[in-house]
Amino acid sequence: MIDLVIVRAPHQVLYSIERLRESKLKSVLVLDMFENQDYNNAITGILKYKKWDRVIKMNYSVKDVRGVVKYIYYLLIIKILSLYNLRLNNLIVGDGSIIFAKLISDNFKYINNTVVVGDGTDLIIQNESKKEIRYYCRIGMKAKIILKLLNLKFNDEYKYDELFTYLQVDDPRLKLNDFSILKNFIKESQSNIVDYNCIYFLGTILLDRFKKEEVEGIYKQIFDRYSTLKIKYIPHRRATLEEIEIARSTCRVTIMESKGTIIETFFMENNIIPITLGSFFSN
């Protein structure tokens, strides 16, 4: 029996490590990798916080023939493993859109506990609207035909046993992520940077949705709100130099490069204890 983790984003890797902190079983991490190298670098930087028995990186793109072949190859592996009745203690899913995780959930007979490491805007919206929290995996007709040919069951809605998140949401399946592993790395010492007159603002990608003058207006409106504080702006890992320069020139902020890592480990590795954080809602 093993713990199987299937994720695709850096913070999902970190939350999975937190979830497995007490497990003594073998752990296998499957990374459904993006083509974005900054994402992949951030994931690599987080892997050191846990000793994994095996790390599998799935790189594919259905945009070309080679990628489609690899995609079908991964589906065949899932089919074969389902026939061998592989037993899972925890199946930890980082993203409801990862089809391979959904297929394992639907086709493996022996899974003790299916866990979704939930975070982000969709979870907040569902909770605030008082709707039942649900996760779905949507696929196209071509993919459904391939699954039918392989005799793989597929239901687009996740049936999960536990929601592991740091957000205080109204869900009976909630298990709170208190970041105990991260806290173990934070030492109380004089080297920690604590500034009560500073706000760390987390950036997002705006230029792909708005015109330059609109982006300037958004930044000015946001940073005017925090005019009494020193503003240290941390660009999104995929932000362009143009967008970073807009933030710098419009708001006269200090730019802090996180070098591709996620914000949780960035603060920890730089001995920063942020008192005030700001961000866009999409963060």
Side-chain angles (χ1 to χ4, degrees), residues 201-259:
F201 198 92
L202 313 183
T204 190
I205 307 297
L206 294 175
L207 278 177
D208 60 348
R209 288 172 285 169
F210 301 98
K211 297 178 181 178
K212 181 178 178 181
E213 55 269 23
E214 293 175 320
V215 173
E216 291 174 344
I218 291 171
Y219 278 122
K220 188 175 188 308
Q221 180 183 1
I222 290 172
F223 291 113
D224 280 350
R225 180 176 178 179
Y226 302 108
S227 59
T228 59
L229 298 173
K230 292 181 293 183
I231 302 172
K232 295 188 177 180
Y233 182 76
I234 303 173
H236 191 278
R237 67 176 67 87
R238 291 188 288 112
T240 62
L241 291 176
E242 182 182 8
E243 185 147 351
I244 294 172
E245 186 54 38
I246 291 174
R248 189 199 312 271
S249 60
T250 304
C251 311
R252 298 184 299 277
V253 298
T254 301
I255 304 295
M256 298 185 69
E257 295 285 354
S258 60
K259 298 180 181 178

Short mmCIF file of all heavy atoms in Angstrom, two decimals, residues 201-259:
data_model
loop_
_atom_site.label_atom_id
_atom_site.label_comp_id
_atom_site.label_asym_id
_atom_site.label_seq_id
_atom_site.Cartn_x
_atom_site.Cartn_y
_atom_site.Cartn_z
N PHE A 201 3.11 42.89 -1.57
CA PHE A 201 1.98 42.75 -2.48
C PHE A 201 2.34 41.74 -3.57
O PHE A 201 3.34 41.88 -4.26
CB PHE A 201 1.60 44.09 -3.11
CG PHE A 201 0.22 44.09 -3.69
CD1 PHE A 201 -0.87 44.50 -2.93
CD2 PHE A 201 -0.01 43.64 -4.98
CE1 PHE A 201 -2.15 44.47 -3.45
CE2 PHE A 201 -1.28 43.61 -5.52
CZ PHE A 201 -2.37 44.03 -4.75
N LEU A 202 1.48 40.72 -3.74
CA LEU A 202 1.73 39.64 -4.69
C LEU A 202 1.11 39.99 -6.04
O LEU A 202 -0.08 40.30 -6.12
CB LEU A 202 1.13 38.34 -4.18
CG LEU A 202 1.42 37.98 -2.72
CD1 LEU A 202 0.83 36.62 -2.37
CD2 LEU A 202 2.92 38.00 -2.44
N GLY A 203 1.91 39.94 -7.08
CA GLY A 203 1.45 40.34 -8.40
C GLY A 203 0.69 39.25 -9.13
O GLY A 203 0.64 38.09 -8.71
N THR A 204 0.09 39.63 -10.24
CA THR A 204 -0.59 38.69 -11.13
C THR A 204 -0.31 39.12 -12.57
O THR A 204 0.43 40.08 -12.81
CB THR A 204 -2.11 38.63 -10.84
OG1 THR A 204 -2.67 37.54 -11.56
CG2 THR A 204 -2.80 39.93 -11.24
N ILE A 205 -0.90 38.42 -13.54
CA ILE A 205 -0.72 38.76 -14.94
C ILE A 205 -1.91 39.59 -15.40
O ILE A 205 -3.04 39.12 -15.37
CB ILE A 205 -0.62 37.47 -15.80
CG1 ILE A 205 0.47 36.55 -15.26
CG2 ILE A 205 -0.34 37.85 -17.25
CD1 ILE A 205 1.85 37.13 -15.28
N LEU A 206 -1.66 40.82 -15.81
CA LEU A 206 -2.74 41.72 -16.22
C LEU A 206 -2.68 42.09 -17.70
O LEU A 206 -3.71 42.32 -18.32
CB LEU A 206 -2.71 43.00 -15.37
CG LEU A 206 -3.03 42.84 -13.87
CD1 LEU A 206 -2.85 44.17 -13.16
CD2 LEU A 206 -4.44 42.32 -13.67
N LEU A 207 -1.48 42.18 -18.26
CA LEU A 207 -1.34 42.68 -19.62
C LEU A 207 -1.97 41.77 -20.67
O LEU A 207 -2.22 42.20 -21.80
CB LEU A 207 0.14 42.89 -19.96
CG LEU A 207 0.76 44.21 -19.47
CD1 LEU A 207 2.23 44.25 -19.80
CD2 LEU A 207 0.02 45.41 -20.08
N ASP A 208 -2.22 40.51 -20.33
CA ASP A 208 -2.88 39.63 -21.30
C ASP A 208 -4.39 39.82 -21.30
O ASP A 208 -5.09 39.25 -22.14
CB ASP A 208 -2.53 38.16 -21.01
CG ASP A 208 -2.96 37.71 -19.62
OD1 ASP A 208 -3.33 38.59 -18.81
OD2 ASP A 208 -2.94 36.50 -19.36
N ARG A 209 -4.91 40.65 -20.37
CA ARG A 209 -6.36 40.87 -20.29
C ARG A 209 -6.75 42.34 -20.43
O ARG A 209 -7.89 42.65 -20.73
CB ARG A 209 -6.90 40.34 -18.95
CG ARG A 209 -6.93 38.84 -18.84
CD ARG A 209 -7.27 38.42 -17.42
NE ARG A 209 -6.14 38.59 -16.53
CZ ARG A 209 -6.23 38.50 -15.21
NH1 ARG A 209 -7.40 38.29 -14.65
NH2 ARG A 209 -5.16 38.65 -14.46
N PHE A 210 -5.79 43.25 -20.18
CA PHE A 210 -6.11 44.68 -20.19
C PHE A 210 -5.08 45.45 -21.02
O PHE A 210 -3.95 45.00 -21.21
CB PHE A 210 -6.12 45.25 -18.76
CG PHE A 210 -7.09 44.58 -17.84
CD1 PHE A 210 -6.68 43.58 -16.97
CD2 PHE A 210 -8.43 44.96 -17.83
CE1 PHE A 210 -7.57 42.97 -16.11
CE2 PHE A 210 -9.33 44.36 -16.98
CZ PHE A 210 -8.91 43.35 -16.12
N LYS A 211 -5.49 46.62 -21.49
CA LYS A 211 -4.56 47.51 -22.17
C LYS A 211 -3.59 48.12 -21.17
O LYS A 211 -3.86 48.16 -19.97
CB LYS A 211 -5.33 48.62 -22.89
CG LYS A 211 -6.26 48.12 -23.98
CD LYS A 211 -7.03 49.28 -24.61
CE LYS A 211 -7.98 48.79 -25.70
NZ LYS A 211 -8.76 49.89 -26.30
N LYS A 212 -2.46 48.62 -21.69
CA LYS A 212 -1.41 49.14 -20.82
C LYS A 212 -1.93 50.25 -19.91
O LYS A 212 -1.65 50.27 -18.70
CB LYS A 212 -0.24 49.66 -21.65
CG LYS A 212 0.90 50.20 -20.81
CD LYS A 212 2.07 50.66 -21.66
CE LYS A 212 3.18 51.24 -20.81
NZ LYS A 212 4.32 51.71 -21.62
N GLU A 213 -2.71 51.19 -20.47
CA GLU A 213 -3.20 52.29 -19.64
C GLU A 213 -4.19 51.80 -18.58
O GLU A 213 -4.28 52.37 -17.48
CB GLU A 213 -3.85 53.38 -20.52
CG GLU A 213 -4.96 52.90 -21.42
CD GLU A 213 -4.45 52.46 -22.79
OE1 GLU A 213 -3.25 52.12 -22.90
OE2 GLU A 213 -5.27 52.48 -23.74
N GLU A 214 -4.93 50.73 -18.89
CA GLU A 214 -5.84 50.15 -17.90
C GLU A 214 -5.06 49.49 -16.77
O GLU A 214 -5.44 49.60 -15.59
CB GLU A 214 -6.77 49.13 -18.56
CG GLU A 214 -7.76 49.74 -19.54
CD GLU A 214 -8.58 48.69 -20.26
OE1 GLU A 214 -8.01 47.64 -20.64
OE2 GLU A 214 -9.78 48.91 -20.46
N VAL A 215 -3.97 48.83 -17.12
CA VAL A 215 -3.12 48.19 -16.11
C VAL A 215 -2.51 49.25 -15.20
O VAL A 215 -2.47 49.07 -13.97
CB VAL A 215 -2.02 47.34 -16.78
CG1 VAL A 215 -1.04 46.82 -15.73
CG2 VAL A 215 -2.63 46.19 -17.56
N GLU A 216 -2.06 50.35 -15.78
CA GLU A 216 -1.50 51.45 -14.98
C GLU A 216 -2.53 51.97 -13.99
O GLU A 216 -2.22 52.24 -12.82
CB GLU A 216 -1.02 52.57 -15.90
CG GLU A 216 0.20 52.21 -16.72
CD GLU A 216 0.55 53.28 -17.73
OE1 GLU A 216 -0.31 54.16 -18.00
OE2 GLU A 216 1.68 53.26 -18.27
N GLY A 217 -3.79 52.10 -14.45
CA GLY A 217 -4.86 52.56 -13.56
C GLY A 217 -5.16 51.59 -12.44
O GLY A 217 -5.41 52.00 -11.29
N ILE A 218 -5.11 50.29 -12.76
CA ILE A 218 -5.35 49.27 -11.73
C ILE A 218 -4.27 49.33 -10.66
O ILE A 218 -4.56 49.32 -9.46
CB ILE A 218 -5.40 47.86 -12.37
CG1 ILE A 218 -6.66 47.73 -13.24
CG2 ILE A 218 -5.39 46.78 -11.30
CD1 ILE A 218 -6.69 46.47 -14.10
N TYR A 219 -3.01 49.39 -11.09
CA TYR A 219 -1.91 49.45 -10.13
C TYR A 219 -2.00 50.71 -9.27
O TYR A 219 -1.81 50.66 -8.05
CB TYR A 219 -0.56 49.41 -10.85
CG TYR A 219 -0.11 48.02 -11.23
CD1 TYR A 219 0.15 47.68 -12.55
CD2 TYR A 219 0.07 47.05 -10.26
CE1 TYR A 219 0.56 46.40 -12.91
CE2 TYR A 219 0.48 45.78 -10.61
CZ TYR A 219 0.72 45.45 -11.93
OH TYR A 219 1.13 44.20 -12.27
N LYS A 220 -2.31 51.84 -9.90
CA LYS A 220 -2.37 53.09 -9.14
C LYS A 220 -3.48 53.04 -8.10
O LYS A 220 -3.30 53.46 -6.95
CB LYS A 220 -2.58 54.27 -10.09
CG LYS A 220 -2.46 55.63 -9.40
CD LYS A 220 -2.56 56.76 -10.38
CE LYS A 220 -2.24 58.09 -9.70
NZ LYS A 220 -2.99 58.34 -8.47
N GLN A 221 -4.63 52.51 -8.48
CA GLN A 221 -5.76 52.41 -7.55
C GLN A 221 -5.43 51.51 -6.37
O GLN A 221 -5.73 51.84 -5.21
CB GLN A 221 -6.98 51.86 -8.30
CG GLN A 221 -8.22 51.72 -7.42
CD GLN A 221 -9.38 51.11 -8.20
OE1 GLN A 221 -9.26 50.78 -9.36
NE2 GLN A 221 -10.51 50.97 -7.54
N ILE A 222 -4.79 50.39 -6.66
CA ILE A 222 -4.46 49.43 -5.60
C ILE A 222 -3.42 50.01 -4.65
O ILE A 222 -3.58 49.97 -3.42
CB ILE A 222 -3.97 48.11 -6.20
CG1 ILE A 222 -5.15 47.39 -6.88
CG2 ILE A 222 -3.35 47.22 -5.11
CD1 ILE A 222 -4.74 46.18 -7.65
N PHE A 223 -2.37 50.58 -5.22
CA PHE A 223 -1.28 51.02 -4.36
C PHE A 223 -1.56 52.35 -3.66
O PHE A 223 -0.94 52.64 -2.64
CB PHE A 223 0.02 51.07 -5.16
CG PHE A 223 0.51 49.70 -5.55
CD1 PHE A 223 0.53 49.30 -6.86
CD2 PHE A 223 0.92 48.80 -4.58
CE1 PHE A 223 0.96 48.03 -7.22
CE2 PHE A 223 1.35 47.53 -4.93
CZ PHE A 223 1.37 47.14 -6.24
N ASP A 224 -2.50 53.13 -4.19
CA ASP A 224 -2.93 54.33 -3.45
C ASP A 224 -3.56 53.93 -2.11
O ASP A 224 -3.46 54.66 -1.12
CB ASP A 224 -3.95 55.12 -4.28
CG ASP A 224 -3.28 55.98 -5.35
OD1 ASP A 224 -2.05 56.10 -5.30
OD2 ASP A 224 -4.01 56.51 -6.22
N ARG A 225 -4.19 52.77 -2.12
CA ARG A 225 -4.83 52.28 -0.89
C ARG A 225 -3.81 52.03 0.22
O ARG A 225 -4.13 52.14 1.40
CB ARG A 225 -5.60 51.00 -1.20
CG ARG A 225 -6.32 50.39 -0.02
CD ARG A 225 -7.12 49.19 -0.44
NE ARG A 225 -7.78 48.56 0.68
CZ ARG A 225 -8.57 47.49 0.60
NH1 ARG A 225 -8.80 46.96 -0.59
NH2 ARG A 225 -9.12 46.99 1.66
N TYR A 226 -2.59 51.70 -0.18
CA TYR A 226 -1.56 51.38 0.81
C TYR A 226 -0.48 52.46 0.85
O TYR A 226 0.69 52.17 1.11
CB TYR A 226 -0.93 50.02 0.49
CG TYR A 226 -1.92 48.89 0.44
CD1 TYR A 226 -2.28 48.31 -0.78
CD2 TYR A 226 -2.49 48.38 1.61
CE1 TYR A 226 -3.20 47.27 -0.83
CE2 TYR A 226 -3.41 47.35 1.56
CZ TYR A 226 -3.75 46.79 0.34
OH TYR A 226 -4.66 45.77 0.28
N SER A 227 -0.86 53.69 0.60
CA SER A 227 0.12 54.78 0.48
C SER A 227 0.85 55.07 1.78
O SER A 227 1.92 55.67 1.78
CB SER A 227 -0.59 56.05 -0.02
OG SER A 227 -1.62 56.42 0.89
N THR A 228 0.30 54.66 2.92
CA THR A 228 0.95 54.92 4.20
C THR A 228 1.99 53.85 4.55
O THR A 228 2.69 53.97 5.56
CB THR A 228 -0.10 54.97 5.33
OG1 THR A 228 -0.79 53.73 5.39
CG2 THR A 228 -1.08 56.10 5.10
N LEU A 229 2.07 52.81 3.72
CA LEU A 229 3.02 51.72 3.99
C LEU A 229 4.10 51.66 2.91
O LEU A 229 3.88 52.08 1.77
CB LEU A 229 2.27 50.37 4.02
CG LEU A 229 1.20 50.18 5.10
CD1 LEU A 229 0.46 48.86 4.86
CD2 LEU A 229 1.81 50.20 6.49
N LYS A 230 5.23 51.12 3.28
CA LYS A 230 6.23 50.78 2.28
C LYS A 230 5.71 49.58 1.51
O LYS A 230 5.28 48.59 2.11
CB LYS A 230 7.57 50.44 2.95
CG LYS A 230 8.26 51.60 3.61
CD LYS A 230 9.59 51.19 4.22
CE LYS A 230 9.39 50.23 5.39
NZ LYS A 230 10.66 49.86 6.04
N ILE A 231 5.76 49.65 0.20
CA ILE A 231 5.20 48.58 -0.62
C ILE A 231 6.34 47.81 -1.30
O ILE A 231 7.14 48.38 -2.03
CB ILE A 231 4.24 49.14 -1.69
CG1 ILE A 231 3.11 49.93 -1.02
CG2 ILE A 231 3.68 48.00 -2.54
CD1 ILE A 231 2.23 50.67 -2.00
N LYS A 232 6.39 46.53 -1.02
CA LYS A 232 7.34 45.65 -1.70
C LYS A 232 6.54 44.71 -2.59
O LYS A 232 5.75 43.91 -2.11
CB LYS A 232 8.18 44.89 -0.67
CG LYS A 232 9.06 45.82 0.15
CD LYS A 232 10.04 45.07 1.04
CE LYS A 232 10.94 46.05 1.79
NZ LYS A 232 11.91 45.37 2.66
N TYR A 233 6.76 44.88 -3.87
CA TYR A 233 5.96 44.18 -4.87
C TYR A 233 6.69 42.93 -5.35
O TYR A 233 7.85 42.98 -5.77
CB TYR A 233 5.69 45.12 -6.05
CG TYR A 233 4.83 44.53 -7.14
CD1 TYR A 233 3.46 44.39 -6.97
CD2 TYR A 233 5.40 44.14 -8.35
CE1 TYR A 233 2.67 43.85 -7.98
CE2 TYR A 233 4.62 43.61 -9.36
CZ TYR A 233 3.26 43.46 -9.17
OH TYR A 233 2.49 42.94 -10.17
N ILE A 234 6.00 41.80 -5.28
CA ILE A 234 6.58 40.53 -5.70
C ILE A 234 5.87 40.09 -6.98
O ILE A 234 4.71 39.66 -6.93
CB ILE A 234 6.43 39.45 -4.61
CG1 ILE A 234 7.08 39.96 -3.31
CG2 ILE A 234 7.05 38.14 -5.04
CD1 ILE A 234 6.84 39.06 -2.11
N PRO A 235 6.51 40.22 -8.13
CA PRO A 235 5.85 39.90 -9.40
C PRO A 235 5.47 38.43 -9.50
O PRO A 235 6.10 37.56 -8.88
CB PRO A 235 6.90 40.26 -10.46
CG PRO A 235 7.89 41.14 -9.75
CD PRO A 235 7.89 40.68 -8.33
N HIS A 236 4.44 38.17 -10.27
CA HIS A 236 4.08 36.80 -10.60
C HIS A 236 5.24 36.14 -11.33
O HIS A 236 5.99 36.81 -12.05
CB HIS A 236 2.83 36.80 -11.49
CG HIS A 236 2.21 35.45 -11.67
ND1 HIS A 236 2.68 34.55 -12.60
CD2 HIS A 236 1.15 34.85 -11.04
CE1 HIS A 236 1.93 33.45 -12.55
NE2 HIS A 236 1.01 33.61 -11.61
N ARG A 237 5.38 34.84 -11.14
CA ARG A 237 6.54 34.16 -11.73
C ARG A 237 6.55 34.22 -13.25
O ARG A 237 7.59 34.05 -13.89
CB ARG A 237 6.61 32.70 -11.25
CG ARG A 237 5.50 31.81 -11.73
CD ARG A 237 5.72 30.37 -11.28
NE ARG A 237 5.60 30.24 -9.85
CZ ARG A 237 4.44 30.03 -9.20
NH1 ARG A 237 3.33 29.95 -9.88
NH2 ARG A 237 4.41 29.91 -7.89
N ARG A 238 5.40 34.49 -13.87
CA ARG A 238 5.33 34.58 -15.33
C ARG A 238 5.16 36.01 -15.82
O ARG A 238 4.84 36.24 -16.99
CB ARG A 238 4.19 33.69 -15.85
CG ARG A 238 4.46 32.21 -15.69
CD ARG A 238 3.40 31.35 -16.38
NE ARG A 238 2.12 31.38 -15.67
CZ ARG A 238 1.03 31.94 -16.13
NH1 ARG A 238 1.03 32.54 -17.29
NH2 ARG A 238 -0.09 31.92 -15.43
N ALA A 239 5.36 36.97 -14.93
CA ALA A 239 5.20 38.37 -15.32
C ALA A 239 6.30 38.78 -16.29
O ALA A 239 7.45 38.38 -16.16
CB ALA A 239 5.24 39.26 -14.08
N THR A 240 5.92 39.61 -17.28
CA THR A 240 6.90 40.11 -18.24
C THR A 240 7.63 41.30 -17.64
O THR A 240 7.17 41.93 -16.69
CB THR A 240 6.20 40.54 -19.54
OG1 THR A 240 5.30 41.62 -19.25
CG2 THR A 240 5.43 39.39 -20.15
N LEU A 241 8.77 41.63 -18.24
CA LEU A 241 9.53 42.80 -17.79
C LEU A 241 8.71 44.08 -17.96
O LEU A 241 8.81 45.00 -17.15
CB LEU A 241 10.83 42.90 -18.59
CG LEU A 241 11.88 41.82 -18.31
CD1 LEU A 241 13.08 41.99 -19.25
CD2 LEU A 241 12.34 41.87 -16.86
N GLU A 242 7.88 44.13 -18.99
CA GLU A 242 7.04 45.30 -19.22
C GLU A 242 6.06 45.50 -18.07
O GLU A 242 5.89 46.62 -17.57
CB GLU A 242 6.26 45.15 -20.53
CG GLU A 242 5.39 46.36 -20.86
CD GLU A 242 4.59 46.20 -22.13
OE1 GLU A 242 4.60 45.07 -22.70
OE2 GLU A 242 3.95 47.17 -22.55
N GLU A 243 5.43 44.43 -17.62
CA GLU A 243 4.47 44.55 -16.54
C GLU A 243 5.15 44.93 -15.22
O GLU A 243 4.63 45.72 -14.44
CB GLU A 243 3.68 43.25 -16.36
CG GLU A 243 2.58 43.35 -15.33
CD GLU A 243 1.36 42.50 -15.67
OE1 GLU A 243 1.28 41.96 -16.78
OE2 GLU A 243 0.49 42.40 -14.81
N ILE A 244 6.32 44.38 -14.97
CA ILE A 244 7.07 44.72 -13.76
C ILE A 244 7.44 46.20 -13.78
O ILE A 244 7.35 46.90 -12.76
CB ILE A 244 8.32 43.84 -13.64
CG1 ILE A 244 7.92 42.37 -13.41
CG2 ILE A 244 9.22 44.31 -12.49
CD1 ILE A 244 9.09 41.41 -13.46
N GLU A 245 7.83 46.70 -14.94
CA GLU A 245 8.23 48.10 -15.06
C GLU A 245 7.02 49.02 -14.86
O GLU A 245 7.16 50.11 -14.30
CB GLU A 245 8.87 48.34 -16.42
CG GLU A 245 9.45 49.74 -16.59
CD GLU A 245 10.43 50.12 -15.49
OE1 GLU A 245 11.21 49.26 -15.05
OE2 GLU A 245 10.39 51.31 -15.07
N ILE A 246 5.84 48.59 -15.31
CA ILE A 246 4.62 49.39 -15.08
C ILE A 246 4.37 49.54 -13.59
O ILE A 246 4.07 50.63 -13.09
CB ILE A 246 3.40 48.74 -15.77
CG1 ILE A 246 3.52 48.84 -17.29
CG2 ILE A 246 2.10 49.42 -15.32
CD1 ILE A 246 2.44 48.10 -18.05
N ALA A 247 4.50 48.45 -12.86
CA ALA A 247 4.30 48.50 -11.40
C ALA A 247 5.33 49.42 -10.75
O ALA A 247 5.01 50.21 -9.87
CB ALA A 247 4.39 47.10 -10.81
N ARG A 248 6.57 49.32 -11.22
CA ARG A 248 7.64 50.12 -10.62
C ARG A 248 7.44 51.62 -10.88
O ARG A 248 7.53 52.44 -9.97
CB ARG A 248 8.99 49.68 -11.19
CG ARG A 248 10.20 50.30 -10.48
CD ARG A 248 11.46 50.21 -11.34
NE ARG A 248 11.66 48.89 -11.91
CZ ARG A 248 12.34 47.92 -11.32
NH1 ARG A 248 12.87 48.11 -10.12
NH2 ARG A 248 12.51 46.75 -11.92
N SER A 249 7.13 51.96 -12.12
CA SER A 249 7.03 53.38 -12.48
C SER A 249 5.73 54.02 -12.01
O SER A 249 5.70 55.19 -11.64
CB SER A 249 7.16 53.52 -14.00
OG SER A 249 6.12 52.80 -14.66
N THR A 250 4.64 53.25 -12.02
CA THR A 250 3.34 53.80 -11.62
C THR A 250 3.24 54.00 -10.12
O THR A 250 2.69 55.00 -9.64
CB THR A 250 2.20 52.86 -12.07
OG1 THR A 250 2.29 52.66 -13.48
CG2 THR A 250 0.83 53.46 -11.74
N CYS A 251 3.80 53.08 -9.37
CA CYS A 251 3.58 53.07 -7.92
C CYS A 251 4.84 53.32 -7.10
O CYS A 251 4.76 53.40 -5.87
CB CYS A 251 2.98 51.73 -7.52
SG CYS A 251 1.58 51.25 -8.54
N ARG A 252 5.99 53.42 -7.78
CA ARG A 252 7.25 53.66 -7.07
C ARG A 252 7.44 52.65 -5.93
O ARG A 252 7.64 53.02 -4.79
CB ARG A 252 7.32 55.10 -6.56
CG ARG A 252 7.29 56.14 -7.65
CD ARG A 252 7.47 57.54 -7.12
NE ARG A 252 6.41 57.90 -6.19
CZ ARG A 252 5.22 58.35 -6.57
NH1 ARG A 252 4.93 58.48 -7.85
NH2 ARG A 252 4.30 58.68 -5.68
N VAL A 253 7.31 51.38 -6.29
CA VAL A 253 7.44 50.32 -5.29
C VAL A 253 8.82 49.68 -5.39
O VAL A 253 9.54 49.83 -6.38
CB VAL A 253 6.37 49.22 -5.50
CG1 VAL A 253 4.98 49.81 -5.34
CG2 VAL A 253 6.51 48.57 -6.87
N THR A 254 9.18 48.94 -4.34
CA THR A 254 10.39 48.13 -4.36
C THR A 254 10.04 46.77 -4.95
O THR A 254 9.10 46.11 -4.51
CB THR A 254 10.95 47.94 -2.95
OG1 THR A 254 11.24 49.23 -2.40
CG2 THR A 254 12.20 47.09 -2.97
N ILE A 255 10.77 46.35 -5.97
CA ILE A 255 10.51 45.07 -6.62
C ILE A 255 11.35 43.99 -5.96
O ILE A 255 12.56 44.13 -5.80
CB ILE A 255 10.83 45.13 -8.13
CG1 ILE A 255 10.05 46.26 -8.81
CG2 ILE A 255 10.54 43.78 -8.78
CD1 ILE A 255 8.55 46.06 -8.82
N MET A 256 10.69 42.92 -5.55
CA MET A 256 11.39 41.77 -4.96
C MET A 256 11.17 40.57 -5.88
O MET A 256 10.04 40.12 -6.08
CB MET A 256 10.85 41.46 -3.56
CG MET A 256 11.05 42.58 -2.55
SD MET A 256 10.52 42.09 -0.89
CE MET A 256 11.78 40.87 -0.48
N GLU A 257 12.24 40.07 -6.46
CA GLU A 257 12.14 38.92 -7.35
C GLU A 257 12.11 37.63 -6.53
O GLU A 257 13.01 37.36 -5.74
CB GLU A 257 13.32 38.89 -8.32
CG GLU A 257 13.36 40.06 -9.29
CD GLU A 257 12.33 39.92 -10.40
OE1 GLU A 257 11.68 38.88 -10.48
OE2 GLU A 257 12.18 40.88 -11.18
N SER A 258 11.05 36.82 -6.73
CA SER A 258 10.95 35.55 -6.00
C SER A 258 11.68 34.42 -6.71
O SER A 258 11.72 33.29 -6.22
CB SER A 258 9.49 35.17 -5.81
OG SER A 258 8.85 35.01 -7.07
N LYS A 259 12.24 34.72 -7.88
CA LYS A 259 13.06 33.76 -8.64
C LYS A 259 12.32 32.46 -8.92
O LYS A 259 12.88 31.36 -8.83
CB LYS A 259 14.37 33.48 -7.89
CG LYS A 259 15.24 34.72 -7.73
CD LYS A 259 16.53 34.43 -6.98
CE LYS A 259 17.35 35.69 -6.82
NZ LYS A 259 18.60 35.48 -6.06
#
